[in-house]
Amino acid sequence: MKPFIHNDWWPVLEPEFEKPYYQELRRFLVEEYQHYRIDPDMYHIFTAFEWTPFSQVKVVILGQDPYHNPGQAHGCSFSVLPGTEIPPSLVNIYKELQDDLGVQPVQHGYLKHWADQGVLLLNSVLTVREGIKTANTHRGHGWEQLTDSAIEKLSARPEPVIFILWGSAARSKIKLIDTQTNIVLQSPHPSPLSAYRGFFGSKPFSKTNIALTSLGETPIDWQLPQQVTVSDESTSDTH
């Protein structure tokens, strides 16, 4: 099979792409892309893996599934392209980041600066139908098996990983993580529906940097640049 993730994630995940569940998922996606508007577009499905190679992952921020409003999703959890209105969950993430570390919010939601430093912006489900009430429309079709495998492979790595799990969907993945060798930070989701139930004040960013320092790793510079340009993100189709 020709690689469609162009770094060391490919040998890690290639066995998954050969399995029957993924072949079934692929057939489902071909139909979905033909008949509906699906986010992200098929060339950006694996952007999170493309941006942050397996060997460079230090932190995982785990989301549920992509944003489903037009023009938002581009393959990375919580991130949106420049020029797109910042979604409410990300507004709350920026608010907590400012309260936690004094980091100034920016006027965009493009999180590549984090990904370039080893923050894997992973969703459990990598695609969704676009629409007002279409969240989770691709849940249960096979993506979870692929992303669960990615989490397990990271958990088993010799180098510890910090897993940031926001909300019940993400927190349910703790069963995949070796908590003896990795670090898990949990809180409610940053959504406006739940942020005041414990996300605000949870200090995930400072806790992450303290943990990285204790592991002998360079802390994450969470301050996003004020001005950004979009890099070439094209990574895949519905292989």
Side-chain angles (χ1 to χ4, degrees):
M1 180 183 291
K2 182 181 178 181
F4 49 91
I5 301 174
H6 305 95
N7 58 36
D8 59 359
W9 271 112
W10 180 251
V12 172
L13 293 178
E14 184 182 13
E16 298 300 311
F17 298 124
E18 304 281 2
K19 292 179 179 179
Y21 84 84
Y22 189 81
Q23 299 307 312
E24 192 65 32
L25 170 61
R26 183 182 180 279
R27 287 189 286 271
F28 166 75
L29 290 174
V30 168
E31 288 290 316
E32 288 286 291
Y33 276 95
Q34 286 177 349
H35 294 99
Y36 302 95
R37 292 189 66 87
I38 305 301
D39 293 322
D41 70 67
M42 66 177 64
Y43 299 104
H44 295 150
I45 293 173
F46 296 102
T47 298
F49 296 112
E50 200 73 38
W51 276 5
T52 312
F54 177 77
S55 59
Q56 296 178 24
V57 174
K58 300 194 293 188
V59 181
V60 176
I61 296 181
L62 187 63
Q64 180 175 278
D65 67 336
Y67 294 124
H68 50 87
N69 289 333
Q72 290 184 318
H74 68 107
C76 295
S77 63
F78 298 103
S79 182
V80 293
L81 292 173
T84 305
E85 183 177 356
I86 301 174
S89 292
L90 187 53
V91 170
N92 286 339
I93 289 169
Y94 285 176
K95 183 178 187 300
E96 176 61 20
L97 183 55
Q98 185 173 22
D99 291 345
D100 186 5
L101 289 175
V103 169
Q104 294 302 305
V106 293
Q107 300 304 308
H108 65 83
Y110 192 56
L111 305 182
K112 190 171 190 295
H113 179 63
W114 297 355
D116 289 342
Q117 298 176 76
V119 181
L120 180 66
L121 301 168
L122 182 64
N123 281 314
S124 296
V125 175
L126 301 187
T127 54
V128 69
R129 284 186 194 173
E130 188 176 288
I132 296 174
K133 296 182 179 180
T134 57
N136 279 324
T137 42
H138 285 183
R139 181 174 59 185
H141 288 278
W143 280 130
E144 295 91 339
Q145 288 176 253
L146 179 74
T147 56
D148 283 1
S149 176
I151 292 168
E152 289 174 332
K153 294 295 196 301
L154 285 168
S155 173
R157 243 182 33 178
E159 305 83 9
V161 174
I162 300 164
F163 291 89
I164 299 177
L165 308 180
W166 290 330
S168 57
R171 294 162 83 173
S172 71
K173 302 297 182 179
I174 194 169
K175 62 183 181 293
L176 306 171
I177 300 167
D178 183 345
T179 56
Q180 299 300 309
T181 57
N182 299 282
I183 296 168
V184 177
L185 302 176
Q186 303 183 64
S187 81
H189 196 274
S191 160
L193 297 175
S194 56
Y196 286 95
R197 300 174 187 167
F199 173 75
F200 289 137
S202 61
K203 300 187 179 300
F205 306 102
S206 60
K207 289 177 180 177
T208 293
N209 280 354
I210 290 169
L212 287 170
T213 300
S214 73
L215 295 170
E217 295 281 358
T218 303
I220 303 299
D221 172 17
W222 296 104
Q223 178 65 67
L224 294 165
Q226 294 292 334
Q227 303 294 327
V228 293
T229 56
V230 179
S231 62
D232 180 11
E233 304 169 300
S234 298
T235 60
S236 76
D237 59 18
T238 53
H239 286 280

